[in-house]
Amino acid sequence: PSFGPFPIFTDKSVSSVIISPNNSDKIWVSFDGFSTVGQKLFYSSDGGATFSDAYSDYLPNSPINCMLYQPDSDDGIYIGTDEGVYYKDNSLSEWTCFNNSFPCNIVTDLSLNTCAGIIRAATYGAAMWESPMVKNVAHEISGNVVWDTDRIIEHDIVITPNSTLTINNGAH
């Protein structure tokens, strides 16, 4: 369900806020604490005017301790919970347990090294772990595209036939 202003919870605190680097109208807000009826991860597609808790579907009844957005993905989100790491992007209908080399443990922090393609998870009592992150899909250019601002290139670029990409400023 969608609702107006952000909900107020007396038994939970905000654990993370993400604003999409590609579209500032997309906002995700996660909460710590336990809940049997969702209310863990809220999403807004209109800059925060309304929120939906649809992103809470299929998550375990476990606090969300941290959250990361994967750049140049299809809105890929990693969350660290008391039960490990979960991942979802727009191509997935539900959250998937992202346990590539990660223990089932309380995850207190997440970090990405996009150049190396690695996600790191800090855990409570089980040290730090790392794993390959979800592979980014190549950025496809179709038509005549001009980049007038600096860009950080973190994945392959595919220019479709009869298309051009003009870069007027830096690409790193």
Side-chain angles (χ1 to χ4, degrees):
S2 291
F3 43 85
F6 204 74
I8 304 296
F9 298 113
T10 57
D11 60 338
K12 296 183 207 73
S13 300
V14 171
S15 59
S16 291
V17 176
I18 292 176
I19 300 172
S20 168
N22 306 317
N23 180 348
S24 61
D25 283 340
K26 294 181 176 184
I27 302 169
W28 293 263
V29 180
S30 65
F31 286 86
D32 64 7
F34 294 91
S35 174
T36 57
V37 290
Q39 299 179 341
K40 296 188 175 305
L41 182 54
F42 293 85
Y43 171 71
S44 174
S45 61
D46 55 16
T50 62
F51 283 88
S52 165
D53 71 347
Y55 267 74
S56 298
D57 292 346
Y58 306 106
L59 284 174
N61 183 15
S62 180
I64 296 175
N65 304 314
C66 51
M67 186 169 52
L68 274 180
Y69 184 93
Q70 183 172 334
D72 292 322
S73 67
D74 190 13
D75 288 337
I77 303 283
Y78 295 91
I79 59 171
T81 72
D82 280 7
E83 297 178 24
V85 178
Y86 288 81
Y87 177 83
K88 184 178 186 316
D89 63 24
N90 290 332
S91 72
L92 299 171
S93 61
E94 58 189 64
W95 289 93
T96 182
C97 182
F98 188 81
N99 59 359
N100 298 358
S101 303
F102 290 147
C104 182
N105 199 334
I106 297 171
V107 175
T108 58
D109 199 10
L110 294 168
S111 69
L112 289 178
N113 180 335
T114 54
C115 292
I118 292 172
I119 180 172
R120 291 187 177 105
T123 65
Y124 182 79
M128 184 172 291
W129 297 75
E130 72 177 28
S131 171
M133 61 189 208
V134 173
K135 201 87 160 123
N136 278 336
V137 180
H139 185 78
E140 188 172 287
I141 303 291
S142 59
N144 297 318
V145 177
V146 177
W147 288 354
D148 287 322
T149 59
D150 286 349
R151 297 197 182 222
I152 297 174
I153 309 301
E154 300 183 35
H155 51 79
D156 295 335
I157 297 174
V158 175
I159 301 174
T160 60
N162 301 316
S163 299
T164 61
L165 170 61
T166 304
I167 302 173
N168 290 333
N169 286 318
H172 310 282

